[in-house]
Amino acid sequence: MTYDPFDHDFERGLQNRRTILGDDWVDRSLNNANAFNADFQNLITRFAWNEIWGRPGLEYKTRRAIVLSITIALGRWEEFELHVRAALRPGADGGMTPDELKEVLMQSAIYAGVPAANTAFAHTQAILREMNHPLSPTQPGTVPHPGVGHERRTASRPALHYTIREPRNGQPPRRTVVLSHALGMDLSMWDGLATLLAGDSRVIAYDHRGHGGSEAPEGAYDMAALADDAARLLLELDTGPVTWIGLSMGGMVGQELALRHPALVQALVIANSSSGYPEAARDAWKQRIATVREQGIEAIADTVMGRYFHDAFRATHGGTVARWRRRLTSTDPVGYAGCCHAVGNVDTTARLSAIAAPVLVIAGELDQGAPVAMSQTIADAIPGAQLVVLPDASHIAAIEQPAAFARAIQAFLENR
């Protein structure tokens, strides 16, 4: 019990209500209050807007998404429209973009039913038009999954499989990013980072020759050929200079691309990679090639997983490791062996000083495949290069520590 004449519960709720719905709506509600409904206005202000919306456990945007989902499921269209309009207000706390609203409606189609989501789309589109948000005509058959992008193959040979994600903000791309994967993996290792960067950038991910959906020509490849593959892809897509992000073999290709085709590289990220191996390591690569040719990739799969992911990660993320083991063993053995030859013979150290683009080098603290010293060698050789060492990460750092990896990338790209 309080004898303070100032009703704190009501005033706190009223402030939250104004923050979420806007002054115009709240003022209309209060000005229309009368002897019959004032008690109800007091009730929802104190309990809905103070007791619930005032709780700190969820952000306003999350609470709004929950409200939208429930009102769709229950067909409460007046309340649904209220929150859609409020969410689209410029600068609104808990505001949502049309793209974010669309995702709530898509999610609701699964859990509340397609008819309910269809009605929600109709209501939302009417509000978007009312608020002058552009809705350009688009054919449904041309729309890719935003977490995957358009899938294509190059016309030039060997054909390379790639995906393109266009910027989700609907603006011209801030930059074009190319993501280049590790040996025995494929473009899907980048799904999380690609979707993140596609917020404002055009993002291209591709499968190296001999991997995934790309062709696997016979023979021993070299790093120059892999770099020329990348250049073919970029020229075919007319990308202009790109931001190249490569991990392990992808980082080696990035080095060679920047040296052979400098006009195509605007900025370069070299992660968990090397610019050259000592003779003993080169012999180990030759042995790996011989084993794969004689016994298949299955014979080396456990050893590779042990180098790609550290013990603690393998113990706690068994399903993830099993996924990449399946990917490794399903790789074309001809293509895998060909790329092993390219990786084992990488040799760029003496030429790295010629790279003029801004460079970020990322190393994993626990990486056995490309120890920190290898990354340090690269960073020392390239003028102005930055080195970031990620704790608790081994060779496939982008999968073991995705958040830390992404933060390092975003910090590097922030002013570029």
Side-chain angles (χ1 to χ4, degrees):
M1 176 68 70
T2 177
Y3 295 96
D4 187 339
F6 190 83
D7 189 336
H8 289 279
D9 287 349
F10 180 84
E11 293 296 340
R12 286 172 177 146
L14 187 60
Q15 183 59 51
N16 288 335
R17 196 177 178 187
R18 290 184 181 281
T19 299
I20 299 303
L21 300 180
D23 284 339
D24 290 346
W25 177 269
V26 174
D27 286 341
R28 280 198 301 272
S29 294
L30 297 181
N31 291 337
N32 289 331
N34 53 51
F36 183 72
N37 66 11
D39 286 354
F40 176 69
Q41 289 290 330
N42 182 283
L43 173 74
I44 61 174
T45 302
R46 286 183 297 111
F47 285 94
W49 293 104
N50 174 47
E51 289 289 340
I52 301 304
W53 282 88
R55 296 175 68 85
L58 295 173
E59 295 178 352
Y60 283 154
K61 182 182 290 188
T62 302
R63 290 191 185 278
R64 195 191 299 279
I66 293 170
V67 169
L68 291 171
S69 299
I70 293 173
T71 53
I72 290 170
L74 296 177
R76 304 291 194 257
W77 300 117
E78 183 179 0
E79 188 79 6
F80 173 80
E81 288 189 0
L82 166 63
H83 279 274
V84 169
R85 285 192 174 88
L88 290 169
R89 288 181 301 119
D93 281 340
M96 301 177 80
T97 66
D99 189 61
E100 290 170 328
L101 283 170
K102 177 174 68 176
E103 292 309 313
V104 173
L105 272 55
M106 294 290 285
Q107 193 86 358
S108 297
I110 301 301
Y111 294 98
V114 169
N118 187 55
T119 303
F121 268 101
H123 282 271
T124 304
Q125 287 181 96
I127 293 170
L128 287 168
R129 291 189 179 98
E130 171 193 312
M131 300 181 75
N132 296 316
H133 285 269
L135 297 173
S136 57
T138 304
Q139 290 298 317
T142 67
V143 179
H145 188 291
V148 176
H150 290 283
E151 290 196 76
R152 300 284 188 270
R153 285 183 107 198
T154 60
S156 55
R157 306 290 294 273
L160 302 177
H161 170 243
Y162 63 90
T163 60
I164 300 180
R165 293 166 172 85
E166 298 295 343
R168 291 192 307 280
N169 62 5
Q171 302 298 314
R174 183 176 178 182
R175 65 181 71 82
T176 296
V177 177
V178 179
L179 300 170
S180 185
H181 66 80
L183 179 67
M185 305 191 89
D186 64 15
L187 57 76
S188 68
M189 70 165 275
W190 293 114
D191 280 352
L193 182 64
T195 300
L196 176 67
L197 296 179
D200 63 1
S201 299
R202 187 186 195 206
V203 181
I204 301 167
Y206 78 102
D207 291 334
H208 294 285
R209 64 164 69 189
H211 287 71
S214 294
E215 289 185 327
E218 293 284 347
Y221 315 152
D222 59 29
M223 205 53 67
L226 298 186
D228 289 347
D229 282 348
R232 281 192 297 111
L233 171 65
L234 302 186
L235 292 171
E236 192 169 310
L237 295 177
D238 193 24
T239 62
V242 304
T243 295
W244 184 274
I245 301 175
L247 187 145
S248 190
M249 179 170 67
M252 298 173 190
V253 174
Q255 296 169 54
E256 195 67 49
L257 181 69
L259 291 165
R260 291 174 67 82
H261 305 278
L264 293 176
V265 180
Q266 185 176 53
L268 176 60
V269 178
I270 304 167
N272 305 92
S273 196
S274 176
S275 57
Y277 290 104
E279 196 59 38
R282 291 179 186 271
D283 289 341
W285 281 107
K286 293 176 184 176
Q287 182 56 55
R288 182 184 296 195
I289 293 170
T291 301
V292 168
R293 286 176 175 166
E294 294 169 8
Q295 304 175 45
I297 297 178
E298 179 66 37
I300 64 164
D302 290 336
T303 299
V304 171
M305 291 299 102
R307 294 179 76 81
Y308 275 13
F309 304 107
H310 62 75
D311 292 347
F313 187 87
R314 296 200 310 278
T316 55
H317 296 77
T320 298
V321 176
R323 172 193 176 182
W324 294 112
R325 191 185 189 283
R326 290 193 298 272
R327 172 70 279 184
L328 172 66
T329 56
S330 64
T331 302
D332 189 309
V334 171
Y336 184 81
C339 283
C340 281
H341 185 272
V343 170
N345 288 284
V346 66
D347 186 14
T348 56
T349 306
R351 296 178 286 142
L352 291 177
S353 61
I355 295 178
V359 174
L360 170 67
V361 181
I362 298 177
E365 177 189 37
L366 307 176
D367 195 345
Q368 299 178 51
V372 174
M374 287 184 172
S375 292
Q376 187 69 62
T377 295
I378 295 171
D380 289 345
I382 301 174
Q386 307 172 37
L387 173 63
V388 172
V389 180
L390 301 182
D392 298 320
S394 52
H395 196 57
I396 311 297
I399 293 175
E400 285 186 328
Q401 295 292 340
F405 194 94
R407 283 195 298 270
I409 297 291
Q410 289 178 305
F412 176 66
L413 297 180
E414 188 171 352
N415 298 314
R416 292 183 172 85

